[in-house]
Amino acid sequence: MKFFVDSADVSAIRELNDLGLVDGVTTNPSLILKSGRDIMEVTAEICALVGGPVSAEVVAPQADAMIAEGRKLAGIAPNVAVKLPLTWEGLKACKVLSGEGRMVNVTLCFSAPQALLAAKAGASFISPFIGRLDDLAIDGIDLIGDIRTIYDNYGFETQILAASVRTVNHVLEVARIGADVMTAPPEVIRKLAVHPLTDAGLAQFLSDWEKTGQKIL
Ligand code: E4P
């Protein structure tokens, strides 16, 4: 499973990228707001840092304006994936932009039929938001499973990008069920390394090592 970082914080992305953990990045208007940066500038900076797809989201409501915005965002760098909302207008824009050979990430997906439409419109990525479904006591992992089944049934090449990933368990479950990609905030990716038994085991080893009186360097 590929790891995307859900952030527009360049220093956090750089830290994870230096560890080889970053296959791509996703941003959205809320993350751009949080970064305090200009969308064109920060997207260019992230694209230069990360080799993989970097999603940048359009904000226009109508297809024609989405297409214009998408072309402008795609002009930032060859690894920009234009992020479009899963609306009827977004699907129209998806068909046009993917037909031009551009990467498209269809976002704000909350149902398997929506995901089927995005695949048929040529999306490179579909982003089902599992955390926001969990907030409503609807199982987001089931949604990933349904989309996996449907895409595999018909050989769609659209990659399932599990989004709104908020917990270590979300990462485990989407990996189990076969998401192609997951995108999570830097703090969730860091938490994947944490286990209390690792900490306790290390403390014991270091305490015993001190008693040996030895040094390695
Ligand atoms: C994905 O592309 C979105 O930017 C993101 O995962 C949304 O996550 P949230 O529901 O935690 O805001």
Side-chain angles (χ1 to χ4, degrees):
M1 184 171 69
K2 286 175 229 158
F3 275 27
F4 287 6
V5 187
D6 199 30
S7 177
D9 176 340
V10 176
S11 64
I13 295 167
R14 184 178 291 112
E15 187 198 348
L16 295 170
N17 195 46
D18 287 348
L19 269 73
L21 294 177
V22 180
D23 300 303
V25 170
T26 51
T27 67
N28 62 38
S30 305
L31 292 170
I32 296 294
L33 173 69
K34 194 173 164 191
S35 75
R37 300 280 311 274
D38 173 84
I39 185 172
M40 304 301 285
E41 286 174 18
V42 76
T43 304
E45 209 176 316
I46 297 169
C47 284
L49 186 65
V50 171
V54 175
S55 290
E57 188 160 344
V58 305
V59 290
Q62 298 301 319
D64 284 353
M66 284 181 187
I67 293 164
E69 287 182 356
R71 286 179 182 144
K72 183 168 178 186
L73 292 170
I76 295 171
N79 53 331
V80 167
V82 178
K83 210 173 181 192
L84 301 167
L86 212 160
T87 59
W88 202 248
E89 295 298 307
L91 290 170
K92 287 184 201 169
C94 176
K95 178 71 181 154
V96 171
L97 292 170
S98 57
E100 292 173 354
R102 303 182 199 280
M103 273 190 290
V104 173
N105 175 3
V106 177
T107 189
L108 290 167
C109 170
F110 293 95
S111 79
Q114 286 184 315
L116 181 55
L117 287 176
K120 290 183 80 68
S124 321
F125 300 99
I126 182 69
S127 290
F129 276 34
I130 62 175
R132 293 189 193 191
L133 283 173
D134 282 3
D135 290 344
L136 302 179
I138 298 168
D139 194 339
I141 304 300
D142 282 352
L143 172 59
I144 303 287
D146 284 346
I147 300 171
R148 180 76 284 154
T149 302
I150 292 166
Y151 281 9
D152 290 349
N153 280 349
Y154 300 103
F156 287 118
E157 288 179 5
T158 302
Q159 294 188 50
I160 302 173
L161 197 176
S164 191
V165 164
R166 298 182 185 157
T167 66
V168 169
N169 241 18
H170 278 158
V171 178
L172 173 63
E173 291 299 325
V174 301
R176 267 197 185 131
I177 214 148
D180 300 291
V181 190
M182 72 92 199
T183 189
E187 53 276 19
V188 172
I189 295 176
R190 281 193 216 102
K191 276 189 198 155
L192 297 175
V194 176
H195 198 289
L197 290 178
T198 304
D199 296 341
L202 182 59
Q204 178 70 57
F205 287 157
L206 293 183
S207 147
D208 288 345
W209 178 250
E210 209 169 319
K211 289 175 202 150
T212 70
Q214 299 179 44
K215 286 197 184 317
I216 295 174
L217 287 178

